[in-house]
């Protein structure tokens, strides 16, 4: 794992230095890469090595002035952690006057159009949190606030083009091993008035018969008749201030064993000053909100709530390279993290 991370980080630096972006006639090829390496110190325990990286390759062919065909492949640390070697592998069709269609292995429109929280410390708090995985809190946790049904099943994503009236999206997926099918919908609207920029998003998701669906390493596999999700997000930017808040609710019908449904609420504020950025983030996760008994053993499952506080500082060394440090408290575990991120 560390060897793979080191190779990906080197690719990020090469991309940073040379910029892999090539056009020939109606074709356009691009390679994006970024990597983060650092350490995390929980309590007085041994220092943990932390890393994050992603590599994305895309090819686009212009059919005419308004329409494009393309293909995308990506891999990142989160999926390799789960012993998967595809994060995205899909084809797309785009019409700048109508919208975009994607087909293949990728996240649903609910995830892609969702609004997360400021992540100045690069701890992946909006997608399979590095922080919570390394701290190993021994509790069921919903770490991020955007709805997801994974990226391992074949999926069709449809999204309208973004206009002043908003953007709509729909996803249908199936054919995987973790559930029968899933249907997701999303709506997002952006506004810009003088120095104030705002964005609002809502997403709804339905998953039929999850049988072994596992969202991440710190949530148990889900077995239930169906799963429903709703996510709401707000993002406001005024000059150098950015404030985001979002909530995600999960309900499982007739779950068995330990449940992973409940809710997570988060809010964060960041401020930029020249090459420096500071931020504060708070996340509250609670499970067993609607289901209190194991359907097989009859065991009473008590509330399982976790408070996470994160303060981060980032220094932008160059256009594509930054250094960061973060500290805070997750449940009853204090932590401190430092690292560097570079990419193109």
């Amino acid at each position: 794992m560390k060897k793979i991370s080191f190779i990906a980080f080197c690719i990020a630096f090469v991309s940073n230095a040379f910029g892999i972006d090539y056009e020939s006639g109606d074709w356009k090829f691009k390679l994006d890469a970024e990597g983060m390496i650092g350490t995390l110190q929980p309590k007085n325990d041994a220092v943990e090595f932390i890393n994050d990286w992603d590599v994305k390759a895309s090819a686009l062919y212009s059919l005419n002035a308004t329409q494009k065909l393309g293909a995308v492949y990506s891999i990142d640390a989160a999926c390799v952690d789960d012993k998967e070697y595809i994060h995205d592998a899909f084809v797309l069709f785009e019409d700048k006057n109508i919208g975009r269609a994607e087909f293949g292995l990728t996240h649903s429109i609910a995830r892609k159009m969702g609004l997360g929280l400021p992540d100045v410390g690069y701890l992946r708090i909006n997608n399979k949190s590095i922080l919570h995985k390394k701290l190993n809190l021994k509790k069921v946790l919903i770490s991020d606030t955007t709805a997801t049904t994974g990226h391992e099943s074949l999926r069709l994503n449809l999204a309208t083009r973004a206009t002043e009236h908003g953007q709509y999206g729909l996803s249908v997926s199936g054919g995987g091993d973790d559930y029968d099918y899933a249907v997701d919908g999303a709506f997002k609207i952006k506004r810009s008035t003088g120095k104030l920029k705002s964005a609002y998003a809502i997403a709804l998701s339905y998953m039929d018969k999850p049988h072994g669906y596992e969202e991440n390493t710190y949530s148990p596999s889900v077995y239930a008749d169906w799963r429903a999700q709703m996510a709401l997000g707000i993002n406001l930017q005024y000059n150098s201030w950015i404030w985001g808040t979002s909530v995600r609710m999960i309900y499982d019908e007739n779950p068995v064993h330990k449940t992973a449904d409940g809710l997570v609420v988060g809010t964060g504020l960041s401020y930029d000053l020249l090459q420096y950025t500071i931020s504060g983030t708070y996340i509250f996760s609670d499970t067993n909100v609607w289901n209190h008994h194991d359907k097989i053993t009859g065991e009473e499952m008590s509330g399982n709530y976790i408070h996470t506080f994160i303060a981060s500082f980032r220094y932008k060394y160059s256009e594509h390279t930054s250094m960061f440090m973060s500290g805070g408290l997750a449940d009853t575990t204090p932590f401190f993290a430092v690292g560097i991120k570079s990419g193109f």
Side-chain angles (χ1 to χ4, degrees):
M1 176 58 64
K2 291 183 180 180
K3 183 177 180 181
I4 294 175
S5 177
F6 177 75
I7 293 171
F9 193 61
C10 290
I11 291 175
F13 272 112
V14 171
S15 298
N16 182 15
F18 299 105
I20 304 174
D21 196 342
Y22 175 73
E23 292 188 40
S24 177
D26 293 324
W27 286 95
K28 181 176 181 180
F29 303 92
K30 190 172 183 180
L31 177 67
D32 296 299
E34 60 183 13
M36 181 275 285
I37 56 175
T39 59
L40 186 147
Q41 172 74 56
K43 278 186 179 178
N44 297 316
D45 298 336
V47 173
E48 294 275 354
F49 171 77
I50 59 173
N51 72 92
D52 194 20
W53 54 267
D54 64 79
V55 178
K56 179 180 178 181
S58 62
L60 289 175
Y61 177 75
S62 296
L63 297 171
N64 50 51
T66 61
Q67 296 178 329
K68 296 179 181 180
L69 285 174
V72 174
Y73 170 80
S74 73
I75 184 171
D76 59 26
C79 67
V80 173
D81 283 347
D82 295 335
K83 296 181 174 57
E84 301 164 0
Y85 298 94
I86 295 175
H87 185 232
D88 288 302
F90 63 88
V91 294
L92 65 91
F93 171 75
E94 189 173 85
D95 188 312
K96 71 177 185 179
N97 297 319
I98 300 174
R100 177 182 175 105
E102 301 172 345
F103 179 74
L105 303 175
T106 189
H107 278 292
S108 76
I109 212 71
R111 169 74 81 173
K112 293 188 176 187
M113 289 175 60
L115 294 174
L117 305 173
D119 191 14
V120 172
Y122 303 126
L123 295 175
R124 207 198 295 148
I125 61 175
N126 294 309
N127 178 23
K128 294 190 175 181
S129 164
I130 296 175
L131 170 66
H132 293 108
K133 179 182 179 182
K134 289 296 183 181
L135 293 183
N136 194 19
L137 301 176
K138 305 297 185 183
K139 288 186 176 181
V140 177
L141 171 70
I142 307 169
S143 69
D144 61 84
T145 56
T146 51
T148 182
T149 48
H151 57 93
E152 297 85 13
S153 297
L154 283 175
R155 175 174 279 113
L156 174 65
N157 285 339
L158 300 172
T160 64
R161 72 182 183 95
T163 70
E164 61 180 7
H165 303 295
Q167 183 179 24
Y168 299 85
L170 178 69
S171 294
V172 179
S173 66
D177 297 328
D178 299 333
Y179 53 83
D180 285 1
Y181 67 88
V183 180
D184 296 358
F187 171 72
K188 182 162 68 175
I189 190 167
K190 294 182 178 181
R191 292 282 188 264
S192 181
T193 307
K195 296 181 179 181
L196 179 64
K197 297 179 181 179
S198 59
Y200 310 88
I202 180 172
L204 299 172
S205 174
Y206 174 83
M207 179 189 294
D208 192 61
K209 293 183 176 61
H211 38 267
Y213 174 72
E214 184 176 292
E215 183 170 317
N216 47 53
T217 57
Y218 33 78
S219 293
S221 299
V222 180
Y223 295 86
D225 291 346
W226 49 265
R227 161 171 283 200
Q229 299 180 71
M230 181 172 70
L232 304 168
I234 301 173
N235 188 288
L236 300 177
Q237 180 177 352
Y238 183 79
N239 285 342
S240 297
W241 291 94
I242 298 177
W243 172 70
T245 190
S246 48
V247 58
R248 174 184 174 198
M249 292 168 282
I250 305 173
Y251 175 79
D252 292 334
E253 178 69 10
N254 293 325
V256 296
H257 298 309
K258 292 183 178 180
T259 61
D261 63 348
L263 62 89
V264 58
V265 183
T267 189
L269 182 69
S270 70
Y271 177 71
D272 288 320
L273 178 62
L274 300 176
Q275 294 173 281
Y276 306 93
T277 305
I278 58 173
S279 74
T281 303
Y282 168 69
I283 303 170
F284 171 76
S285 169
D286 193 8
T287 54
N288 308 128
V289 175
W290 293 285
N291 295 287
H292 303 287
H293 294 87
D294 188 311
K295 299 295 183 181
I296 293 181
T297 66
E299 177 186 355
E300 175 74 20
M301 295 182 293
S302 59
N304 192 20
Y305 57 86
I306 294 174
H307 301 274
T308 302
F309 301 88
I310 306 170
S312 297
F313 169 81
R314 179 174 65 201
Y315 170 66
K316 190 174 183 180
Y317 176 75
S318 67
E319 183 180 0
H320 303 298
T321 301
S322 300
M323 293 172 279
F324 72 90
M325 61 180 180
S326 298
L329 184 72
D331 199 23
T332 59
T333 304
F335 66 89
F336 178 76
V338 294
I340 182 172
K341 181 175 182 180
S342 183
F344 179 79

